[in-house]
Each structure stands twice: as C-alpha cells, then as structure tokens.
Amino acid sequence: NSDGIGACMTTRPDTLGVVVNDSMDLRIRKLTPLEVWRLMDIPDKMFHMAAKFCSSAQLFKQAGNGIVIGVFAQIMMQMKEK
C-alpha cells in the first residue's frame, strides 16, 4: 500500500487469515483449510483424503503441526554448507 507496508497473514489459530487491501480499505479474510494445506506444500489429493475424516478445526491443527518441506530443505542445505 502507499505507506510501504504490505499485506500480512496472521498465524494465531483463532484469527488465521490474510489482510486484504481492497481500494485501501483493509479487511481480514479467513483462510480455508485447503488454503492452509497448500501453504504447507501438501498436495490437494492428501487434503481431500484427510477432509473425509477430519473437521475443519482438525485440518487447521494438522497443517500447523507440519513444516514446509522446501523450507526444511533450505535449512538443511545451510547447515550442510556450514
């Protein structure tokens, strides 16, 4: 936006969402469980399998208990270099 501050994402489970800038009026749109799983680099196929048995709350928790594989790989590469 005009003050140089970009949109951000909250990570608390009770307020999980992204700040959306619509014509300079900020609002919060909550992420869906599928969007959260996608942020964690989990394939949609795995999400849909889990969604058959789990509530939305459980799906959020499961995503929050993971680590993004790409991030983990970069951490390991940095450790290997040192």
Side-chain angles (χ1 to χ4, degrees):
N1 64 19
S2 62
D3 61 5
I5 299 173
C8 63
M9 180 170 45
T10 62
T11 56
R12 288 183 32 188
D14 59 329
T15 60
L16 186 65
V18 290
V19 176
V20 180
N21 186 349
D22 287 337
S23 303
M24 303 308 285
D25 292 328
L26 295 179
R27 64 182 173 85
I28 298 211
R29 180 184 70 78
K30 292 194 174 208
L31 298 175
T32 66
L34 178 58
E35 290 172 322
V36 173
W37 278 52
R38 285 176 175 166
L39 286 172
M40 295 300 292
D41 287 340
I42 302 171
D44 286 3
K45 180 179 177 180
M46 292 182 72
F47 169 82
H48 292 298
M49 287 175 17
K52 291 178 184 176
F53 304 100
C54 300
S55 67
S56 290
Q58 267 318 111
L59 293 167
F60 280 121
K61 288 177 187 176
Q62 289 174 1
N65 285 335
I67 183 168
V68 180
I69 293 174
V71 171
F72 181 72
Q74 286 299 314
I75 291 170
M76 293 296 107
M77 294 297 286
Q78 292 292 320
M79 291 176 68
K80 181 180 176 184
E81 290 175 8
K82 297 190 188 275

